Amino acid sequence: MTDHKFVYEFSEGDASMRNLLGGKGANLAEMTGLGMPVPQGFTITTEACTQYYLDGEVINDAIKAEVMTYITKLEEITGKKFGDPANPLLVSVRSGSRASMPGMMDTILNLGMNDTVVEAFAEKTNNPRFAYDSYRRFIQMYSDVVMEVGKSYFEELIDEMKEARGVKQDVELTAEDLKELAAEFKAQYKAKIGSDFPSDPVEQLFGAIKAVFRSWDNPRAVYYRRMNDIPGDWGTAVNVQSMVFGNMGDTSGTGVAFSRNPATGDPGLYGEFLMNAQGEDVVAGIRTPETIDQLKTENPAVYDQFVEIVSKLENHYADMQDMEFTIEEGKLFMLQTRNGKRTAAAAFKIACDLVDEGKITKEKAVSMIDPKQIDALLHPQFDAAKLAAAQPIGKGLPASPGAATGKVSFTAEDAAARGKAGEPVILVRLETTPEDIEGMHYAKGILTARGGMTSHAAVVARGMGTCCVSGLGEVSFAADGKSFSLGGKTFTENDWVSLDGSTGNVYGEEIDTVPAEVGGYFGRVIEWADEFRTMKVRTNADTPADARQAREFGAEGIGLCRTEHMFFEADRIAAIREMIVSKTVEQREAALAKLLPMQRGDFEGIYEAMEGLPVTVRLLDPPLHEFLPTDEDDINALAAEMKLEVAELKEIIASLHEFNPMMGHRGCRLDVTYPEIGAMQTRAIIEAAINVQKRHPEWKVVPEIMIPLVGEVKELAFVKKIVTDTANAIIAEAGVELDYLVGTMIEIPRAAITADEIATEAQFFSFGTNDLTQMTFGFSRDDAGKFLDAYYQTKIYESDPFARLDQNGVGKLVKTAVDLGKSTRPDIKLGICGEHGGDPSSIEFCQQVGLNYVSCSPFRVPIARLAAAQAALKAK
Ligand code: PEP
Ligand code: MG
């Protein structure tokens, strides 16, 4: 360990060392290498952070010694000395991980100050106000960040001081006031911590380094990582950099600038600066910063130098840069550069412009966009200014993206009625069931107290493109179901709520939304993506309308049509319920006879929408708890329709109750017990295909019939025989030629590990990773939301396995099944239709294991097209 290098001077690194030095450190090194004016310093590596955690959250002696060697080097470079009143070295200590995590971790400025240094500094700079201001800022930051004293105590002291002096602004406080404030801050520190504020710069330094390492694991950083797929074991680097001061008087200043407009993508320098200020003043909003072009008049020489640096940096990194700079007594210093965060619209425009300007290739353009950002283009979003003024009152699962605002509605009927009348409503439910579909359709957004990322509400909302926040357990309903409380407030149907389905945030007020807008730049990039993609992108669609929507987004077929979902609508659900509660074959056949024409009609609509592209239709798979009627009116109506006594029907329903419906009488088990179900569905699938093929001889309609929830090859063979016997008879009778395929879902672990046997009967596999995740983890899809938070907090899991494929566990089953399946059927067609098919990191995994296609809900199709292209480019 002793010969391991944990610290690098800026002049020793470069941009390629991002993993080791973090983004900020690598870029400071790169700028140094490019000869740009960078205050010198060094970077303590991400490996040192990992070592810190391995050592039980201590900085070991070897690392400490190495840091001290580099402090000595920095003293030599700058000609200043740590703690030397005559010529003090003051440094900033900042975090910087591999991936940019803006604002998530900690920063400390002006480190090295103490009572003697500040005196000397005041004299040396001939600016006591500046010296004491720097000192009190340091005490405040150190106490807050390193010792976790809490900002508010110090802010109160500032407020008291301002009141005593009869002034309103911090800048109106005098040098004497600030000196007094520094003393009060130190007293406050002692009162809270029980010891004196450290005056030794070395002690200060290691306190600060430790705080930065520790901030890697603060709750907001952990949450940010989960949202952005950043692994917890990357760690953060620490940058120690000699301070330059923007608050040294009127020839000093500080600012932030982007090389292009981060909101629109428009070319041209964009940014703000403040003279006589330190970095935090620009963001704090106490004084209004000036736009960057004002710098031209303020200091033309610095402005010209800055413009030149900006253009050099953008060309060098071939991407829009976000930069921080400071001017110290007329001299420009670059403190940071990084690829700038940008809105979705800007991301596409910048990518296209950079290609047009000849700065990047189309491959790079495709690779540089975060596919998750596409959501923001396809769904309404909150008005940014209104959102900034709002405070969330709760946070659930970000189940279906977009933003929605509306008045509360407690029942699906009410939501449908008010929605139809043009009123914006948010449907708030304990959980949703198929009965709620119409209300879900007319609601602007859906909020549920229960349910995970693959619960009914989540899957259906995503399919419809409706914003949904699920699993917000804190929503508590009044006994009469006419109000709920959240965040200490009670909501009735006259109250507004707003949902952010991309973050899971819930707001107890109206927040304006802006409509989705897909521009031409998006179209260009997505077409380039299609050139590089090797996997196909299909969609999960259950109705002709969804299928058409998916086609518009570029779907190349249907990977999953959940046939039970065709019956969600109010006028149809009765038919499927009749089938479920049938006691006799006759009753069931009567119900099936009602279902047949509806299914055939829908299949025709879907084949038409897909214009000859492949369509995978799955046989019925209705988990009983989602479909059995619970509402008294529904039960009465069903009894009347089936000519049963209500009591008798209730008995049947009670007898169908299951303890674990997700592992109950569903999937192909239904066809094993009631073969007539599979036969009816096959008839609908094949007859629809024959009809559409006749109408469109130019297409080749090849239905793919998929048998769900298979765990054993004999079970598959049994159901497959029902399918093929029925299909062949119909085709022969019609006297036509029609090809069709029969395959299965791999969604039970046993199917995955016996996939070589299964493949002898299956022409294709489609990985149902929702159930496969549920059954591999033994986590209920509907209930996991309740306890997964505890798993994130305890770092047992970093992300929701229902949203992001667990590559290490579930992924192994997928890989095993792929290999085994190919061993007995080398040309087997392989796809995925679980919700992971729309998740970029999971899509990359699908590319790696060699799937032929991914299938996802319509609104995720563009995301999947881009993610699949990125995965293919990565694999090159
Ligand atoms: C799955 O289990 O992954 C799947 C696609 O099927 P469902 O979500 O309908 O159970
Ligand atoms: Mg399933």
Side-chain angles (χ1 to χ4, degrees):
M1 195 182 65
T2 39
D3 56 357
H4 194 94
K5 188 169 164 62
F6 283 111
V7 186
Y8 288 78
E9 240 171 18
F10 293 164
S11 56
E12 290 178 291
D14 60 50
S16 71
M17 294 162 75
R18 188 183 188 95
N19 291 0
L20 190 63
L21 303 179
K24 188 188 294 247
N27 289 336
L28 284 168
E30 187 78 7
M31 285 198 289
T32 301
L34 290 170
M36 292 178 177
V38 174
Q40 282 308 289
F42 55 85
T43 303
I44 307 166
T45 64
T46 53
E47 288 177 359
C49 180
T50 312
Q51 191 63 46
Y52 162 85
Y53 282 104
L54 281 177
D55 291 339
E57 306 198 13
V58 290
I59 305 171
N60 70 36
D61 290 346
I63 295 176
K64 274 190 180 157
E66 206 178 333
V67 168
M68 287 318 296
T69 309
Y70 277 82
I71 282 287
T72 310
K73 287 193 188 188
L74 188 57
E75 288 174 337
E76 279 160 18
I77 295 171
T78 58
K80 298 176 180 176
K81 251 186 143 34
F82 231 15
D84 176 5
N87 195 13
L89 171 65
L90 299 178
V91 295
S92 65
V93 179
R94 296 177 210 250
S95 62
S97 74
R98 272 198 229 183
S100 129
M101 296 170 59
M104 292 300 130
M105 290 178 293
D106 290 330
T107 291
I108 294 152
L109 305 178
N110 307 337
L111 190 141
M113 284 264 181
N114 58 31
D115 287 357
T116 36
V117 166
V118 71
E119 295 276 347
F121 200 62
E123 217 168 282
K124 194 168 146 42
T125 56
N126 201 15
N127 192 343
R129 190 185 184 285
F130 153 66
Y132 285 106
D133 193 35
S134 305
Y135 190 29
R136 70 93 196 161
R137 282 173 197 262
F138 169 58
I139 302 171
Q140 197 173 345
M141 241 185 257
Y142 192 91
S143 306
D144 173 32
V145 171
V146 179
M147 307 309 289
E148 299 176 320
V149 174
K151 284 192 190 77
S152 59
Y153 299 108
F154 300 96
E155 272 151 19
E156 273 166 29
L157 289 173
I158 300 177
D159 288 343
E160 280 166 23
M161 174 72 79
K162 283 195 286 195
E163 210 176 308
R165 300 293 183 265
V167 299
K168 288 221 159 59
Q169 307 275 0
D170 292 8
V171 283
E172 295 172 82
L173 294 173
T174 63
E176 274 309 307
D177 297 339
L178 293 165
K179 185 174 179 178
E180 208 176 308
L181 211 46
E184 285 179 18
F185 280 9
K186 285 194 352 177
Q188 179 71 261
Y189 178 95
K190 188 164 184 180
K192 288 278 171 319
I193 302 294
S195 60
D196 285 329
F197 186 82
S199 60
D200 173 10
V202 173
E203 184 183 344
Q204 294 172 356
L205 177 68
F206 285 109
I209 294 170
K210 198 170 165 171
V212 172
F213 284 157
R214 195 176 59 206
S215 72
W216 173 250
D217 254 350
N218 74 34
R220 63 179 198 280
V222 171
Y223 185 77
Y224 186 91
R225 290 205 290 273
R226 189 158 82 242
M227 294 299 290
N228 292 281
D229 292 339
I230 300 170
D233 58 10
W234 278 4
T236 181
V238 184
N239 299 291
V240 177
Q241 187 173 24
S242 53
M243 286 291 302
V244 283
F245 293 95
N247 51 348
M248 268 210 177
D250 294 339
T251 55
S252 301
T254 187
V256 189
F258 293 85
S259 60
R260 292 172 195 242
N261 185 317
T264 61
D266 287 340
L269 195 52
Y270 178 92
E272 303 183 314
F273 75 103
L274 261 179
M275 292 311 276
N276 198 9
Q278 246 186 350
E280 68 208 67
D281 300 329
V282 181
V283 269
I286 304 161
R287 284 157 59 200
T288 312
E290 296 184 82
T291 58
I292 198 82
D293 34 303
Q294 288 295 315
L295 187 60
K296 211 182 206 157
T297 23
E298 198 91 37
N299 191 332
V302 165
Y303 180 79
D304 289 346
Q305 189 193 357
F306 184 62
V307 169
E308 201 191 315
I309 288 177
V310 170
S311 118
K312 229 183 180 178
L313 283 174
E314 189 185 277
N315 289 338
H316 185 73
Y317 285 102
D319 196 356
M320 185 264 269
Q321 293 300 293
D322 164 3
M323 295 146 297
E324 281 176 26
F325 64 93
T326 285
I327 306 161
E328 187 184 72
E329 299 192 306
K331 193 168 168 353
L332 175 68
F333 290 96
M334 297 301 296
L335 299 188
Q336 161 158 320
T337 191
R338 62 181 173 205
N339 294 341
K341 296 260 179 239
R342 60 205 80 178
T343 63
F348 284 96
K349 172 156 174 57
I350 290 171
C352 290
D353 285 355
L354 289 173
V355 170
D356 294 341
E357 291 161 23
K359 291 183 178 162
I360 59 170
T361 60
K362 290 190 281 181
E363 283 91 336
K364 169 87 197 282
V366 165
S367 301
M368 73 195 282
I369 292 169
D370 178 358
K372 286 192 183 144
Q373 272 199 306
I374 295 178
D375 268 341
L377 292 180
L378 306 181
H379 299 278
Q381 301 294 312
F382 286 128
D383 179 306
K386 302 265 166 59
L387 182 65
Q391 269 301 324
I393 54 165
K395 193 176 191 79
L397 296 171
S400 179
T405 193
K407 286 192 179 171
V408 172
S409 174
F410 291 99
T411 66
E413 296 80 66
D414 176 66
R418 289 163 67 193
K420 275 182 202 166
E423 188 183 350
V425 292
I426 302 289
L427 180 62
V428 184
R429 304 278 288 149
L430 190 60
E431 61 200 339
T432 65
T433 65
E435 283 152 353
D436 296 335
I437 193 79
E438 204 186 357
M440 291 173 79
H441 194 79
Y442 282 101
K444 295 278 174 209
I446 301 153
L447 170 63
T448 71
R450 288 194 196 145
M453 295 292 282
T454 58
S455 64
H456 175 263
V459 170
V460 173
R462 230 172 277 142
M464 297 191 299
T466 302
C467 161
C468 175
V469 173
S470 70
L472 181 59
E474 289 94 69
V475 168
S476 114
F477 290 92
D480 65 1
K482 296 208 165 110
S483 67
F484 74 91
S485 62
L486 178 66
K489 201 182 148 192
T490 302
F491 294 84
T492 69
E493 59 181 26
N494 289 319
D495 293 310
W496 287 84
V497 287
S498 299
L499 311 179
D500 188 333
S502 310
T503 61
N505 279 338
V506 177
Y507 303 83
E509 62 197 277
E510 181 183 3
I511 308 175
D512 291 346
T513 58
V514 287
E517 205 182 326
V518 187
Y521 297 108
F522 168 81
R524 279 181 78 192
V525 175
I526 216 82
E527 272 178 31
W528 294 334
D530 289 346
E531 287 173 30
F532 307 130
R533 193 153 57 77
T534 54
M535 282 191 298
K536 295 271 183 204
V537 175
R538 296 198 193 182
T539 190
N540 295 355
D542 315 318
T543 63
D546 286 357
R548 278 190 293 275
Q549 174 74 74
R551 273 295 281 150
E552 274 171 33
F553 285 142
E556 297 164 299
I558 288 185
L560 172 64
C561 170
R562 293 177 165 100
T563 50
E564 64 281 0
H565 283 197
M566 295 176 158
F567 299 101
F568 277 163
E569 265 124 57
D571 55 342
R572 287 179 159 210
I573 196 158
I576 200 154
R577 285 186 169 145
E578 237 181 278
M579 184 210 78
I580 289 173
V581 301
S582 293
K583 273 188 123 171
T584 64
V585 176
E586 293 72 46
Q587 274 176 340
R588 195 168 307 106
E589 280 179 339
L592 289 170
K594 287 185 195 166
L595 295 176
L596 175 67
M598 295 181 197
Q599 291 230 296
R600 193 171 43 217
D602 282 352
F603 293 145
E604 287 185 23
I606 288 174
Y607 295 140
E608 296 269 3
M610 282 293 143
E611 302 174 317
L613 292 171
V615 173
T616 305
V617 181
R618 180 177 76 180
L619 298 188
L620 277 173
D621 178 12
L624 287 181
H625 67 309
E626 286 185 9
F627 283 86
L628 284 175
T630 49
D631 190 281
E632 205 63 31
D633 290 345
D634 289 341
I635 295 176
N636 292 340
L638 188 61
E641 179 69 29
M642 295 184 72
K643 301 189 177 55
L644 290 174
E645 291 297 321
V646 171
E648 195 185 344
L649 179 59
K650 282 188 173 169
E651 239 172 63
I652 298 173
I653 293 172
S655 74
L656 288 172
H657 170 80
E658 292 179 330
F659 288 102
N660 285 313
M662 276 294 188
M663 295 199 269
H665 195 190
R666 56 176 287 220
C668 65
R669 295 157 205 173
L670 282 177
D671 302 296
V672 172
T673 42
Y674 309 126
E676 55 275 20
I677 297 178
M680 179 284 287
Q681 287 207 283
T682 304
R683 173 170 292 279
I685 294 166
I686 297 295
E687 287 179 351
I690 292 173
N691 293 346
V692 173
Q693 183 68 79
K694 272 191 193 147
R695 287 202 286 275
H696 297 280
E698 72 281 14
W699 298 344
K700 185 154 169 59
V701 182
V702 184
E704 300 176 356
I705 301 175
M706 180 152 80
I707 300 172
L709 229 70
V710 163
E712 153 64 45
V713 66
K714 287 192 211 124
E715 179 188 38
L716 173 60
F718 181 90
V719 181
K720 183 180 164 191
K721 184 161 185 328
I722 302 168
V723 171
T724 50
D725 285 354
T726 312
N728 294 345
I730 296 168
I731 294 167
E733 198 179 317
V736 294
E737 299 240 328
L738 184 86
D739 291 339
Y740 67 93
L741 305 178
V742 184
T744 186
M745 294 189 72
I746 301 289
E747 51 184 343
I748 288 187
R750 192 178 189 283
I753 53 192
T754 60
D756 45 351
E757 293 171 14
I758 305 268
T760 60
E761 294 288 346
Q763 289 169 289
F764 62 87
F765 285 169
S766 177
F767 289 93
T769 45
N770 301 334
D771 275 309
L772 194 59
T773 299
Q774 168 168 260
M775 298 197 216
T776 304
F777 279 82
F779 284 175
S780 155
R781 288 164 66 167
D782 293 332
D783 298 317
K786 280 190 210 147
F787 50 80
L788 274 176
D789 247 342
Y791 277 78
Y792 307 142
Q793 271 155 26
T794 47
K795 307 241 175 57
I796 296 172
Y797 294 124
E798 279 183 0
S799 58
D800 183 345
F802 289 104
R804 184 175 185 219
L805 190 78
D806 158 47
Q807 299 185 9
N808 198 30
V810 177
K812 248 183 221 160
L813 283 174
V814 172
K815 171 104 183 52
T816 305
V818 166
D819 295 343
L820 288 175
K822 281 188 175 163
S823 74
T824 52
R825 190 185 289 267
D827 65 344
I828 190 162
K829 223 178 184 179
L830 300 164
I832 180 173
C833 63
E835 290 299 295
H836 304 94
D839 168 65
S841 78
S842 311
I843 291 171
E844 191 181 337
F845 176 80
C846 294
Q847 172 90 31
Q848 284 162 9
V849 295
L851 301 195
N852 304 107
Y853 68 86
V854 298
S855 186
C856 56
S857 55
F859 280 83
R860 283 179 161 188
V861 165
I863 299 175
R865 286 164 71 191
L866 186 59
Q870 293 181 350
L873 287 170
K874 253 194 185 174
K876 257 191 183 173

